[in-house]
Amino acid sequence: MLRLHDTATGSVRPLALRDPGRFSMYVCGPTVYEVPHLGHGRFMLVFDVLRRYLTFTGLDVVHVCNVTDIDDHIIERAAREGRREPEIAAEYEARWWEAMDALEVLRPTAVPHATAYIEGMVDLVADLAARGSAYETDDGVYLQVDTIDGYGLLAHQPLESLRAGARVESSAQKRSPLDFALWKKAKPGEPTWPSPWGEGRPGWHTECVVMSLSLLGEGFDLHGGGQDLIFPHHENERAQAVAVGKDFAHHWLHNGWVTVGGEKMSKSLENFTTIAELLERGDARAYRLLVLRAHYSSPLEVTPETIADAEKALDRLDALARRLSLADPMDGPVVREHSAAAPAGVDEDAVSRFCVRMDDDLDTAAAMGLVFELVNRAHAAADAGETPAAQRLGATVALLCGALGLRLRATAGEVDEATERLVSERDAARRARDFERADALRDELVAAGWTVEDGPDGTIVRR
RNA sequence: GGCGGCGUGGCCGAGUGGUUGAGGCAGGGGCCUGCAAAGCCCUUUACCCGGGUUCGAUUCCCGGCGCCGCCUCCA
């Protein structure tokens, strides 16, 4: 069974499933007003890997990831560009999924949008007010955090310390700087929805409470996101659930930052690289591999150097796939139970060692270490002429890469006719032992950007 | 100020109370190859500092130093 760090308890503990065989998780998704950067890519990859791994172990995974399609940033951008908010949201959501598709992040099983749940949010806020946990001011409705049992649980700080450190200016009518907006009363020109407190829109922290409980029900298994969501976002979500007496997430999981020069990559620091920029330069799989080679909770330094490093490592996997003609593990569903039926069979011992590592708080870095160990053994077996053993190890590599969402490329890619001709010409020259001619042809191919490999079955070119 | 994280070889990055501390990249030597490429074999380099606990600590505890983060929108 998978053991995972739980932010609520600060310890690694077994992931307990509410429903046997079924895993439910809610991951806080994007506010769609800007293109996604590598930090977003990381958290989506981390939870994608969690999902894939649990699927691999035979669980049914329900993965909800919301889209915040109304908030201050969207309104601001719409105003600046003289456009309507839904148009902004739709545009950036499209670009979000485009990037995630390119990273081969599986589409979540449900993608609720905040604006589709306004009524539920109004009901929740009314409920909170009726219970005396919320109060109305001139500009909105606020949750009074000192009415919440255990406020500060996720932040691991008592209410007093949080209050002492609060940097936010307390508005005149807020009873505490930590009280947060559940409902914001309409300002001129903003999109609004009706409510008992007049026209307005919901505060950010409310949507996830309503959407997670609506789609997953009480006591769902896991709630996740980046570490910067721990406080105040997740703390405030939890506060609302506690106030209305709902059993909320049973496990909280947060991933570490992408860093640049040791600093957090973020929109506000403007030190971000977009996913689109990454994809222009290189293989999307290299980023997944880079993410996999670090523990999800650690900061991850992303630079052209670390990406190039990952691309080299990827070459090593692809080289094995080419040598053994491994099937791309991403072509079909990758479920452990099916593995025994794989044509060449797999090394069950390696698979269980892999699972031990993954079950230990999703230690993908150690798991990848094992995969590369298998790559080495597969090559060594092939060198020794032990074909069945090599195939078996290769099939295991493919299976495990598939469990992590890492595609293998056994083919060299499209080779055009002119190149094809040069290759066969060179083969002919080599057969005739005309090496001068063969080398000249290779130079020509290399100049065109090809890598030339003379194998036992003839020459392969690849880019 | 409060709270939390991190500090491992040239780089990235796991892990562990103990004879031989993953893995990738990079470097060196060799094998294979017509020469390469790919691959294989061998190999160089590390646990921030100071105490403590221990037969023994990189791993546990305490104290430093350094870096980063959260406490405000933020994955």
Side-chain angles (χ1 to χ4, degrees):
Chain A
M1 188 62 212
L2 176 62
R3 294 165 55 82
L4 277 179
H5 183 267
D6 178 17
T7 308
T9 61
S11 61
V12 175
R13 59 186 193 82
L15 183 68
L17 300 179
R18 178 187 55 188
D19 311 313
R22 186 169 175 273
F23 170 67
S24 50
M25 75 167 167
Y26 185 95
V27 182
C28 283
T31 300
V32 281
Y33 71 98
E34 183 57 277
V35 295
H37 61 62
L38 297 183
H40 301 112
R42 184 183 190 188
F43 95 81
M44 288 297 280
L45 284 166
V46 163
F47 287 97
D48 180 67
V49 167
L50 173 61
R51 169 186 179 170
R52 287 177 187 270
Y53 176 64
L54 288 176
T55 303
F56 174 72
T57 63
L59 294 180
D60 239 352
V61 178
V62 184
H63 173 196
V64 178
C65 177
N66 70 298
V67 167
T68 301
D69 56 352
I70 185 65
D71 98 312
D72 291 348
H73 294 106
I74 296 171
I75 291 169
E76 213 174 275
R77 184 157 204 143
R80 197 166 65 237
E81 299 182 0
R83 299 160 72 191
R84 306 297 306 165
E85 287 80 6
E87 198 187 322
I88 298 288
E91 176 186 336
Y92 288 101
E93 182 176 351
R95 298 179 70 171
W96 173 270
W97 294 120
E98 200 179 299
M100 297 310 151
D101 287 349
L103 291 176
E104 303 206 67
V105 167
L106 291 171
R107 289 290 178 110
T109 48
V111 180
H113 290 65
T115 54
Y117 285 81
I118 305 275
E119 273 182 40
M121 291 190 243
V122 169
D123 290 346
L124 173 61
V125 176
D127 192 7
L128 288 165
R131 289 167 185 264
S133 292
Y135 58 89
E136 186 176 356
T137 68
D138 289 346
D139 65 346
V141 179
Y142 289 85
L143 188 100
Q144 186 170 339
V145 299
D146 64 16
T147 66
I148 305 301
D149 205 25
Y151 190 81
L153 176 84
L154 293 174
H156 291 286
Q157 293 212 64
L159 189 58
E160 290 65 39
S161 322
L162 287 166
R163 205 195 310 267
R167 284 177 284 171
V168 59
E169 286 292 314
S170 192
S171 84
Q173 296 186 326
K174 265 169 75 168
R175 295 177 190 169
S176 157
L178 295 174
D179 291 353
F180 58 92
L182 297 164
W183 188 261
K184 298 180 175 190
K185 292 185 182 175
K187 289 182 197 148
E190 290 184 357
T192 64
W193 287 263
S195 84
W197 316 280
E199 288 287 311
R201 61 190 166 92
W204 176 41
H205 309 303
T206 300
E207 66 181 66
C208 292
V209 182
V210 172
M211 296 191 289
S212 61
L213 290 173
S214 300
L215 291 165
L216 296 173
E218 283 193 61
F220 58 93
D221 297 321
L222 182 138
H223 194 129
Q227 283 171 356
D228 49 359
L229 294 184
I230 296 171
F231 192 92
H233 185 54
H234 286 163
E235 190 75 56
N236 289 349
E237 284 184 38
R238 182 184 164 275
Q240 294 170 74
V242 167
V244 295
K246 299 269 190 186
D247 186 14
F248 206 48
H250 282 185
H251 211 112
W252 295 85
L253 190 72
H254 296 94
N255 65 277
W257 319 123
V258 167
T259 60
V260 182
E263 282 193 321
K264 178 188 175 190
M265 176 176 288
S266 74
K267 287 172 188 164
S268 50
L269 287 175
E270 292 181 2
N271 61 347
F272 61 88
T273 301
T274 67
I275 295 172
E277 285 166 345
L278 173 85
L279 297 175
E280 273 169 31
R281 280 183 230 138
D283 195 324
R285 297 178 302 151
Y287 189 54
R288 179 179 289 264
L289 182 56
L290 189 58
V291 167
L292 285 169
R293 290 201 311 176
H295 191 260
Y296 71 83
S297 64
S298 305
L300 177 67
E301 184 72 13
V302 181
T303 63
E305 288 72 32
T306 62
I307 290 171
D309 185 293
E311 278 175 344
K312 291 278 188 57
L314 198 56
D315 282 345
R316 195 165 156 72
L317 291 173
D318 286 345
L320 183 73
R322 283 196 305 276
R323 182 175 191 182
L324 300 179
S325 302
L326 299 177
D328 189 331
M330 299 280 280
D331 282 349
V334 182
V335 179
R336 178 154 168 38
E337 274 67 18
H338 298 168
S339 64
V346 296
D347 185 326
E348 281 299 332
D349 179 59
V351 174
S352 55
R353 284 205 291 147
F354 172 83
C355 290
V356 165
R357 292 166 187 215
M358 290 296 284
D359 285 343
D360 179 15
D361 199 18
L362 213 63
D363 192 350
T364 56
M368 281 314 302
L370 171 66
V371 169
F372 280 104
E373 218 176 284
L374 298 176
V375 169
N376 181 270
R377 283 170 53 197
H379 276 304
D383 282 356
E386 298 160 5
T387 309
Q391 284 297 337
R392 189 177 185 78
L393 288 162
T396 309
V397 167
L399 179 76
L400 300 183
C401 284
L404 300 170
L406 203 52
R407 192 178 284 285
L408 295 179
R409 217 162 267 162
T411 55
E414 287 298 298
V415 179
D416 58 276
E417 254 178 69
T419 304
E420 205 79 76
R421 210 159 31 239
L422 287 175
V423 169
S424 44
E425 237 182 276
R426 179 163 176 280
D427 273 341
R430 289 184 66 230
R431 272 195 300 275
R433 304 193 65 79
D434 180 358
F435 297 123
E436 214 172 300
R437 173 81 183 130
D439 288 351
L441 287 163
R442 178 168 57 203
D443 288 346
E444 212 172 308
L445 287 163
V446 168
W450 296 96
T451 299
V452 181
E453 273 184 43
D454 299 330
D457 306 322
T459 296
I460 296 171
V461 289
R462 63 191 165 87
R463 287 210 197 255

